Amino acid sequence: MMPDRPSMKPSPYAALYDIVIPKDHIFRRINELVDFSFVTEELTEKYCPDNGRMAIHPIRMFKYLLLKSMNPLSDVDLVERSKYDLSYKFFLDMAPEEAVIDPSSLTKIRKLRLQDQNLLDLLIEKTIAIAMDLDLIETGTIIVDATHTQSRYNLKKPQEILQDQSRKLRKTIYSVNESMKEQFPKKNTKDDLEAELKYCKELIATIEQVPGLSANPKIGESLRLLEETVADDIEQVRCSSDADARTGHKTVDTSFFGYKTHLAMSVERLVTAAIVTTGEKSDGKLLQSLIEKSCAAGIPVNTVIGDTAYSEKTNLQYAEDNHICLISKLNPNITDGHRKKEDEFDFNKDAGMYVCKAGQMAIRKARQGKKGVGTNQKDTYYFDIERCKRCPLREGCYKEGAKSKTYSVSIKSTEHAIQRDFQESEFFKKAVKERYKIEAKNSELKNRHGYRVTSGVGLNGMALQGAMAIFVVNLKRILRLVDEPREAPDQ
């Protein structure tokens, strides 16, 4: 059943919060900034109104997940910290002496209550609405990019995942007490999941039998992460590494296995839209959706800044049709031209034909492809095949038995020609310098909020992780923007 909205119970110790938690503490400010009643409205249908035992209120559970995003910890360590950290209890609307939840409740709410794909859009729209009410967003310019997140399972076999975690745990223990090597169970040498699970359980049991060993913070964290993998996530570990994760490519030589989060961000560094996809998806294909989601969040988009991936022809057409200025450099293959064996063919501007290195001029040309449909059109130049057969330089150029010899050159579309000229303007060169801001935002998500590696499994798990992380970074940025006018006189 859905309980009443949580509020702090009367407590003789409540005055401690006024003593130990400053007025400008981030948790106080977030509670003042955000009306969390929207969480109740969104999740009401997930709870029975008149049957079952009283549940923990979804607002409190939601705040637990926010804390997990702000300080990436295991569920057990997060709940353990909320026992003694008064700032956590204050944020959770709990009295200092009030009992905390069972860690397994966090697994339940993630799997049973927060599987809605719209949660990501909802949380972004909520933060943008707060920013708009405070007049923090002044322009209609957004910056777009995609950041990747490595799957926690990393294309490994389930037993390899367990082996990695148990190895890290043993190394942590050896740094404290190397004599424990003699007490640990014999390592599993079989490439078998059941054997590895048995070893991990024996290892955990051995560690727990040594008085005070798990009390060490580093050992305790590694131990609980292994326990969670063995217990809570064992169903995912048994079935596969990560069924939804896919291999994507950052460069020609480097790849990753996981997911992509496609972001749109205002120049004030507030995320205005996000789409979570599997790792192989193309960045440019999501531009139109990011613009539409940003508009739905309340941003009057009139300028978009992005890298080369967003300058494909369909995006240029979309931007023109919707009166949007697209600041995205064209692929060098388009601006500089991309012709095979260009050092072997020269263009004769007087004749309007190409000449091969043997001095033979093309005898005719034909245009291929339809204008404005599919890929760019090509001009194909035809050479006299009989002369090619007798040419002294035919090796590597003429293929024996060929019925024709041609050379093709792609034609820039009208959209590409306009964009090529536009990117040489001073306005374009100045605007494109703003793109670094979204790279910094990607770094913040990865280094401060655990976005480098997935915390869960599957596309839904990645979407939930993204929703919480982006909600937190937007709230922190809003507080920073609110403070900036007060800090300006001191600079």
Side-chain angles (χ1 to χ4, degrees), residues 177-379:
N177 186 354
E178 195 169 352
S179 64
M180 285 297 300
K181 287 183 180 180
E182 301 174 0
Q183 301 182 42
F184 283 159
K186 186 178 179 181
K187 294 179 186 177
N188 170 49
T189 56
K190 299 178 182 178
D191 188 18
D192 179 70
L193 175 59
E194 295 301 327
E196 189 61 36
L197 279 170
K198 181 181 177 182
Y199 168 76
C200 288
K201 291 176 181 178
E202 291 175 354
L203 178 64
I204 292 169
T206 302
I207 295 170
E208 290 177 340
Q209 289 172 4
V210 179
L213 189 60
S214 60
N216 182 290
K218 290 185 177 180
I219 295 175
E221 285 186 14
S222 298
L223 175 63
R224 284 185 284 273
L225 284 172
L226 179 60
E227 287 176 332
E228 279 191 12
T229 304
V230 172
D232 294 344
D233 291 339
I234 196 60
E235 58 197 69
Q236 286 85 5
V237 172
R238 284 180 184 276
C239 64
S240 71
S241 53
D242 192 336
D244 291 342
R246 295 291 183 272
T247 299
H249 295 274
K250 294 182 286 184
T251 67
V252 175
D253 302 316
T254 58
S255 62
F256 67 94
F257 179 71
Y259 303 89
K260 274 187 178 181
T261 303
H262 305 264
L263 299 172
M265 185 188 79
S266 70
V267 291
E268 293 83 9
R269 308 194 191 206
L270 288 165
V271 178
T272 61
I275 302 171
V276 175
T277 68
T278 49
E280 85 287 2
K281 298 297 183 184
S282 169
D283 298 358
K285 304 297 183 186
L286 277 299
L287 177 63
Q288 298 177 28
S289 297
L290 289 173
I291 293 173
E292 291 166 2
K293 285 180 178 289
S294 296
C295 291
I299 306 297
V301 179
N302 53 39
T303 304
V304 179
I305 303 172
D307 59 21
T308 304
Y310 299 95
S311 63
E312 58 186 51
K313 187 176 177 180
T314 53
N315 288 338
L316 294 173
Q317 292 172 336
Y318 176 86
E320 183 180 2
D321 293 342
N322 290 274
H323 309 291
I324 294 172
C325 180
L326 180 57
I327 309 294
S328 175
K329 290 185 177 180
L330 294 173
N331 189 301
N333 286 342
I334 296 174
T335 53
D336 302 334
H338 180 68
R339 299 186 285 114
K340 295 180 180 179
K341 300 182 179 179
E342 56 183 317
D343 58 328
E344 298 181 8
F345 295 86
D346 295 315
F347 186 71
N348 185 301
K349 64 182 181 63
D350 297 319
M353 292 288 185
Y354 273 91
V355 179
C356 73
K357 61 181 179 181
Q360 180 190 170
M361 182 178 289
I363 55 176
R364 68 183 182 91
K365 71 174 181 178
R367 183 157 294 182
Q368 297 178 342
K370 294 183 178 180
K371 187 175 182 179
V373 179
T375 57
N376 289 349
Q377 292 178 292
K378 292 182 179 180
D379 274 345

Side-chain angles (χ1 to χ4, degrees), residues 78 123 133 139 149 167 177 265 365 426-427 490:
L78 175 67
L123 296 184
D133 289 342
T139 71
T149 304
R167 187 184 303 113
N177 186 354
M265 185 188 79
K365 71 174 181 178
E426 290 302 317
F427 174 80
D490 299 329

Side-chain angles (χ1 to χ4, degrees), residues 24-43:
D24 60 351
H25 193 280
I26 187 171
F27 292 158
R28 280 190 184 275
R29 300 185 67 190
I30 289 177
N31 275 339
E32 294 169 358
L33 183 67
V34 183
D35 179 4
F36 287 97
S37 60
F38 73 91
V39 177
T40 307
E41 296 169 4
E42 289 297 321
L43 297 182

